[in-house]
Amino acid sequence: MKPLILLVEDDAQIRRFLRAALEAEDYRLHECQTVADAIAQAAARQPELVLLDLGLPDGDGLDVIRSIRESSQIPILILSARERERDKIAALDLGADDYVAKPFAIGELLARIRAALRRAAVVAQDGAGTSIRFGRVEVDLEKRVIRVDGDEVHLTPNEYKLLQVLIRHAGKVLTHRQLLQEVWGPNQTEQAQYLRVYIAQLRKKLEREPARPRYLHTEPGVGYRLVTED
Amino acid sequence: MKPLILLVEDDAQIRRFLRAALEAEDYRLHECQTVADAIAQAAARQPELVLLDLGLPDGDGLDVIRSIRESSQIPILILSARERERDKIAALDLGADDYVAKPFAIGELLARIRAALRRAAVVAQDGAGTSIRFGRVEVDLEKRVIRVDGDEVHLTPNEYKLLQVLIRHAGKVLTHRQLLQEVWGPNQTEQAQYLRVYIAQLRKKLEREPARPRYLHTEPGVGYRLVTED
DNA sequence: CGAAATCTTTACAACTTCTTGACGCCTGGG
DNA sequence: CCCAGGCGTCAAGAAGTTGTAAAGATTTCG
């Protein structure tokens, strides 16, 4: 799901324009117009990024930065008509991530939003590895670690490559040729015996009953298929 | 100690101006003027931030971004006379953190540098909890002290760097290439024998039975992995 | 400058993985 | 029933990797 952006902007026209642009990129959006509301919504909705206009009617937009930074490191992009250098410096030193002057080019703004979200993602993903489960098998593609019933299982390079290809196309039938091509390269596409040997090894390591596989299905005459659901 | 900044700029006048401003803020500084040099210096000196002019004489400044992003997340600030929106978007989407158009206000630039360094510090400290334990081994990353069963153990600089990289990605399989790149730099990525020697030395110093390692696991054909739990 | 520490390189033994061939099973068709 | 073809299994030897010790080369530091 696309990130949630909190848009803080009192000018209805700009708000409409930004809403259109951001929704075209599939971002989820929440809008508000006052300092008080911005502070409340930032805390309540936990957005992944804040787009903040500094010229708000009920107070100093810098207070929004201060408030958010007390408890969170999410990216804050300032969007402001104030062009004075010392306004920019103040906002950045309070913890804003970027400062875009109005009028702005929408493509550049979107690129700056992407850059800010990308940086934030690096921080967030450090713990959350991309990992895939089917039945009792757990594959952590980030760490390159496989667990079966919670116990680590060691795979050789070719076994792992083969499993990776099957996972990448989980559910689909892959022909002998496709599998050989991806694991052994384009010169070995006739060696279907490799597949028999390595599929057998994977089954021995991953399946409870290798002779009656639940995950690594044979499609006779065609190839193999990884089944990740019942 | 203040952060090291790599300044990539071919115009001598701007370079002099920036040098003065940055040194007034006590940043350490290294300067270079070409794409090739920038890529080499970024890898060799491990700066904390890169200030990059895109209009270099010997090639495309975007290549510098690409090269750095292959192995590192350090902040990259673009400094450019190219004002076209699509140049900005290209640079930001390649992984640049910020884009400042020339001519720039020095105060704003310095604020943007502070903002980028502040963010990077948040990321860095996430991995660098001051002290890490696994089994009987205790590593104090702040003091650079290693204890095994409470006794201090001396590591050489390369041994320590290697251990640091493994700790930073604890649990994850790191390929020979990744390890060599981070410890010996980008020109030594074929010398897997270095790794064998240094892993052996680390095992001799950290493991109870170096021949049957509990922490420093080998993933044959792939690389090594630090296991911090049972 | 000289000694000590560290890094790099070499050689070889030990080990893991890959490749290959043999063989048996199953299925479906003759 | 018997056979052919595809598949699964096993295991031996080949090929390639890794661990280890130790000798030279280089750097560091007093």
Side-chain angles (χ1 to χ4, degrees):
Chain A
M1 189 149 60
K2 277 285 205 160
L4 175 66
I5 294 180
L6 179 65
L7 171 59
V8 188
E9 166 66 71
D10 61 318
D11 181 321
Q13 200 175 340
I14 298 180
R15 217 166 53 229
R16 211 171 323 122
F17 172 60
L18 283 173
R19 187 193 309 145
L22 292 169
E23 288 184 340
E25 300 285 319
D26 273 338
Y27 292 114
R28 289 175 298 142
L29 201 59
H30 186 77
E31 303 175 9
C32 58
Q33 306 176 41
T34 63
V35 169
D37 209 19
I39 290 174
Q41 296 299 327
R45 297 185 181 254
Q46 306 270 2
E48 266 111 325
L49 182 143
V50 177
L51 254 184
L52 174 64
D53 177 15
L54 285 187
L56 296 173
D58 69 324
D60 189 349
L62 296 180
D63 287 337
V64 180
I65 306 179
R66 264 186 281 263
S67 162
I68 292 175
R69 278 290 173 268
E70 273 173 25
S71 63
S72 159
Q73 296 301 322
I74 57 159
I76 303 176
L77 262 76
I78 304 302
L79 202 59
S80 172
R82 301 192 205 166
E83 258 289 25
R84 282 178 312 177
E85 192 184 0
R86 73 157 186 268
D87 289 326
K88 298 186 184 181
I89 295 173
L92 290 167
D93 280 345
L94 272 175
D97 286 67
D98 204 341
Y99 194 110
V100 180
K102 294 183 191 173
F104 50 84
I106 187 66
E108 178 185 345
L109 177 65
L110 290 171
R112 286 184 184 270
I113 288 173
R114 283 194 296 276
L117 286 171
R118 167 169 24 84
R119 274 194 305 263
V122 170
V123 182
Q125 90 181 34
D126 263 8
T130 41
S131 109
I132 286 175
R133 310 204 81 204
F134 44 99
R136 57 206 197 104
V137 180
E138 201 184 328
V139 182
D140 189 327
L141 295 166
E142 169 103 9
K143 295 190 167 127
R144 198 201 179 282
V145 171
I146 289 87
R147 289 171 199 279
V148 178
D149 292 333
D151 296 328
E152 254 180 48
V153 165
H154 172 78
L155 299 188
T156 70
N158 279 354
E159 288 164 7
Y160 185 77
K161 268 199 240 173
L162 178 56
L163 180 60
Q164 245 187 333
V165 176
L166 287 163
I167 285 175
R168 197 159 49 226
H169 305 284
K172 273 201 285 197
V173 180
L174 292 164
T175 64
H176 299 138
R177 185 172 290 277
Q178 288 175 311
L179 290 167
L180 287 163
Q181 159 102 17
E182 296 229 42
V183 178
W184 279 268
N187 304 319
Q188 307 291 151
T189 56
E190 306 303 319
Q191 297 287 329
Q193 173 64 9
Y194 286 177
L195 286 179
R196 288 183 210 114
V197 172
Y198 278 87
I199 289 284
Q201 279 167 196
L202 280 179
R203 284 179 179 151
K204 203 160 15 172
K205 291 181 178 180
L206 305 183
E207 300 272 2
R208 193 184 304 270
E209 295 175 276
R212 293 197 288 117
R214 280 191 58 187
Y215 316 124
L216 295 162
H217 286 210
T218 303
E219 299 290 336
V222 183
Y224 295 91
R225 182 157 64 115
L226 176 67
V227 176
T228 55
E229 309 151 27
D230 300 306
Chain B
M1 189 149 59
K2 276 283 206 166
L4 175 65
I5 294 179
L6 179 65
L7 170 60
V8 188
E9 166 66 70
D10 62 318
D11 182 320
Q13 201 176 338
I14 299 179
R15 218 166 52 232
R16 210 169 327 120
F17 171 60
L18 284 171
R19 187 193 310 145
L22 292 169
E23 287 183 341
E25 300 285 322
D26 273 338
Y27 292 115
R28 289 173 299 142
L29 199 60
H30 184 76
E31 303 175 10
C32 57
Q33 306 176 43
T34 64
V35 169
D37 210 20
I39 290 173
Q41 297 297 328
R45 297 183 183 256
Q46 308 265 8
E48 267 110 326
L49 182 145
V50 177
L51 254 184
L52 174 63
D53 177 15
L54 284 188
L56 296 173
D58 70 325
D60 188 349
L62 296 181
D63 287 338
V64 180
I65 306 178
R66 265 186 278 264
S67 163
I68 292 175
R69 278 292 173 265
E70 272 175 26
S71 64
S72 159
Q73 297 298 325
I74 57 160
I76 303 176
L77 261 76
I78 305 301
L79 202 61
S80 173
R82 301 193 205 168
E83 260 287 27
R84 284 177 313 178
E85 191 184 2
R86 72 158 187 268
D87 289 326
K88 299 187 184 178
I89 294 173
L92 290 167
D93 280 344
L94 271 175
D97 287 67
D98 204 342
Y99 195 110
V100 180
K102 294 181 188 172
F104 50 83
I106 186 66
E108 177 187 345
L109 178 65
L110 290 172
R112 285 183 184 270
I113 289 173
R114 284 193 296 275
L117 287 170
R118 167 170 24 83
R119 273 194 308 261
V122 172
V123 179
Q125 92 188 23
D126 259 13
T130 48
S131 134
I132 283 175
R133 308 207 76 193
F134 43 100
R136 58 206 197 102
V137 181
E138 202 185 327
V139 182
D140 187 328
L141 292 165
E142 188 124 51
K143 296 187 185 139
R144 199 196 178 287
V145 169
I146 289 87
R147 289 172 199 282
V148 179
D149 292 332
D151 298 329
E152 197 171 324
V153 164
H154 170 77
L155 299 187
T156 71
N158 278 354
E159 287 165 6
Y160 184 77
K161 265 203 238 175
L162 178 56
L163 181 60
Q164 240 187 340
V165 176
L166 287 163
I167 286 175
R168 194 160 50 223
H169 304 283
K172 197 167 143 182
V173 177
L174 293 166
T175 64
H176 300 134
R177 185 171 291 278
Q178 290 174 313
L179 290 166
L180 287 162
Q181 157 109 12
E182 296 228 37
V183 178
W184 280 269
N187 303 319
Q188 308 290 150
T189 55
E190 306 303 320
Q191 296 288 328
Q193 177 62 13
Y194 287 178
L195 285 179
R196 290 182 206 116
V197 172
Y198 278 86
I199 289 281
Q201 279 165 196
L202 280 178
R203 282 179 179 151
K204 208 161 11 173
K205 291 181 178 179
L206 305 183
E207 299 272 2
R208 192 185 304 271
E209 294 175 276
R212 294 198 289 116
R214 279 191 58 186
Y215 316 123
L216 295 163
H217 285 211
T218 302
E219 298 288 336
V222 185
Y224 294 90
R225 176 164 67 112
L226 176 68
V227 175
T228 55
E229 318 149 21
D230 299 305

